[in-house]
Amino acid sequence: MTPQQALSWVSGWNQHLAAASAGADGTERRLGGGWSVTEYVCHVGDNLRQWSERLQAALLSQQNEVVGYDPDALAVARGYAALPFSVAAWSSALAAAVWVEVVGQALSDKVALQHATRGRQTAEDVARNNCHDAYHHLWDIEQILAQTNSQASRVY
């Protein structure tokens, strides 16, 4: 995937999510546990937001050093499980729009970050990695909903 393809896909995040989650209330989760649909949507939004901020720090302040974060700790701190699905979708759509703008500028300016554990991360790397994360979690949401719908349609 090219960085431009990543920008294009993430720019459609709201539409991708709406198509994948039609009829969902966001509380659905895998039978074995794990994050709910809403929690995955919150995570995608926060991940896009985090990387937008990191790239913007390089663009505006020449601060290229970044550290990792614990997504599970962030989920607890931000209270993902208590947020309504509609709010998570709204927030992630805003994060996606900002991400597209910032990543586009970072690509143009050939920004490179220095991640504490991942090493050098160019804007191209960030574009592809973040898009992959969002795409993969959309797949997670689709799988959760397919499993939930399958369970609901069974006659006992």
Side-chain angles (χ1 to χ4, degrees):
M1 166 176 282
T2 68
Q4 290 305 321
Q5 289 170 320
L7 282 173
S8 178
W9 193 88
V10 173
S11 73
W13 167 252
N14 197 38
Q15 293 79 17
H16 300 307
L17 177 61
S21 63
D25 67 15
T27 62
E28 302 87 354
R29 68 180 72 240
R30 287 187 175 91
L31 293 177
W35 281 355
S36 69
V37 167
T38 296
E39 290 166 306
Y40 272 114
V41 173
C42 287
H43 167 70
V44 168
D46 276 345
N47 193 56
L48 294 174
R49 193 173 293 106
Q50 290 275 355
W51 283 99
S52 295
E53 290 171 355
R54 291 164 173 185
L55 290 169
Q56 195 70 301
L59 288 164
L60 297 178
S61 303
Q62 291 69 54
Q63 180 182 334
N64 297 68
E65 302 286 327
V66 297
V67 297
Y69 71 96
D70 180 340
D72 292 316
L74 185 58
V76 171
R78 294 230 319 109
Y80 287 178
L83 284 174
F85 176 71
S86 59
V87 173
W90 166 81
S91 181
S92 69
L94 289 176
V98 169
W99 182 91
V100 168
E101 178 184 331
V102 172
V103 172
Q105 186 62 52
L107 289 167
S108 178
D109 288 8
K110 300 188 183 324
V111 168
L113 303 173
Q114 188 61 39
H115 194 281
T117 56
R118 295 180 186 177
R120 187 170 192 269
Q121 297 278 291
T122 65
E124 291 86 357
D125 296 327
V126 172
R128 287 188 287 263
N129 291 342
N130 290 177
C131 181
H132 171 81
D133 183 74
Y135 184 88
H136 176 81
H137 291 315
L138 186 68
W139 180 85
D140 287 323
I141 290 166
E142 291 169 341
Q143 297 307 301
I144 290 168
L145 294 174
Q147 183 183 56
T148 302
N149 291 336
S150 174
Q151 290 295 321
S153 66
R154 289 186 183 173
V155 177
Y156 293 95

